[in-house]
Amino acid sequence: SGYHLILLAKNHNGYRNLSKLVSIGHLEGFYYTPRIDFEILEKYSEGIIACSACLGGEIPQEILKNNTSSFSNLDNIEFNFDSTKKVIEKYSSIFGDDFYLELQDHGRIEQKLVNKALLQLSEELNIKVIATNDTHFIDKTDFEAHTVLICLNTNRDMDDTEGLHYTGNEYLRTPDEMYALFSDVPQVFDNIQEIV
């Protein structure tokens, strides 16, 4: 039903615009989930910070769509960025310096590939990169209960290998855990402080 995108209000006007976007998504764009299009996003973008989101975001999906054959050799990968750059330029034209690329690491090979690509794109296109973590439950120990909940919500068995799956790392990580995970790219923490 669309791509994920993180939007943060950076001031009162941004909060009003974010509220407008959420309302439009629910009242006019709803199709299984709330949705908005680029025209609406651009119209109400003032005062909003945008981040590229998780693997469900348009930019990570574009990277994966064009580079999936490279999973076996991440060290020597040469990315095809043609269509990905167009997507990034679309977001950059709307948000300017308030657009950030997100690195995440839940242990999936897809994320490692996307992170490598995002770092190259960040450098090439001069777009800032931040480190984030998908948070679907609070503590690491909540993983089993969350898995049961997902199985109930999606009507599947616990041993089902199809459908929605998490790695167990989608919990609220501590700052120390995030620093350890992304210590090789310290600029992500400066950029997070810039957003704060």
Side-chain angles (χ1 to χ4, degrees):
S1 65
Y3 297 108
H4 299 181
L5 182 67
I6 304 301
L7 301 177
L8 306 168
K10 71 177 192 175
N11 53 37
H12 186 69
N13 190 40
Y15 179 75
R16 276 187 290 162
N17 282 332
L18 188 56
S19 296
K20 188 75 172 167
L21 290 168
V22 170
S23 296
I24 291 169
H26 278 86
L27 298 174
E28 298 173 25
F30 198 91
Y31 181 73
Y32 292 100
T33 59
R35 304 171 309 155
I36 57 171
D37 61 25
F38 268 94
E39 185 179 328
I40 298 295
L41 183 63
E42 188 169 18
K43 183 175 179 180
Y44 298 104
S45 63
E46 188 179 327
I48 291 180
I49 296 167
C51 307
S52 62
C54 61
L55 290 177
E58 186 173 10
I59 294 166
Q61 285 297 306
E62 199 64 33
I63 291 167
L64 290 172
K65 181 172 71 173
N66 293 306
N67 298 285
T68 52
S69 62
S70 306
F71 286 149
S72 61
N73 190 7
L74 290 181
D75 292 331
N76 299 318
I77 186 170
E78 290 188 30
F79 290 104
N80 174 0
F81 285 143
D82 295 338
S83 60
T84 308
K85 285 180 182 177
K86 290 177 185 167
V87 174
I88 290 173
E89 287 165 5
K90 187 169 55 171
Y91 287 104
S92 291
S93 71
I94 295 173
F95 296 102
D97 287 339
D98 288 328
F99 178 64
Y100 296 82
L101 299 172
E102 285 186 58
L103 303 180
Q104 295 186 349
D105 189 351
H106 303 113
R108 293 182 183 277
I109 188 73
E110 298 97 320
Q111 282 181 320
K112 293 185 186 318
L113 177 116
V114 166
N115 285 352
K116 188 173 179 103
L118 289 174
L119 286 169
Q120 285 183 25
L121 287 161
S122 169
E123 191 171 311
E124 189 175 327
L125 301 175
N126 197 28
I127 300 200
K128 291 172 270 190
V129 64
I130 59 173
T132 65
N133 197 69
D134 260 359
T135 303
H136 292 268
F137 41 94
I138 301 297
D139 296 313
K140 192 171 181 71
T141 57
D142 296 334
F143 176 57
E144 186 177 348
H146 185 262
T147 303
V148 170
L149 179 64
I150 292 298
C151 288
L152 289 170
N153 285 338
T154 58
N155 197 27
R156 66 177 176 84
D157 295 329
M158 291 284 288
D159 58 355
D160 192 348
T161 58
E162 300 295 316
L164 183 61
H165 288 279
Y166 293 93
T167 64
N169 293 315
E170 295 84 1
Y171 64 96
L172 186 58
R173 292 187 187 208
T174 67
D176 288 342
E177 288 174 310
M178 291 299 287
Y179 284 121
L181 201 55
F182 294 101
S183 61
D184 58 328
V185 280
Q187 70 269 29
V188 299
F189 303 110
D190 293 335
N191 294 334
I192 289 171
Q193 286 306 310
E194 180 181 292
I195 291 175
V196 172

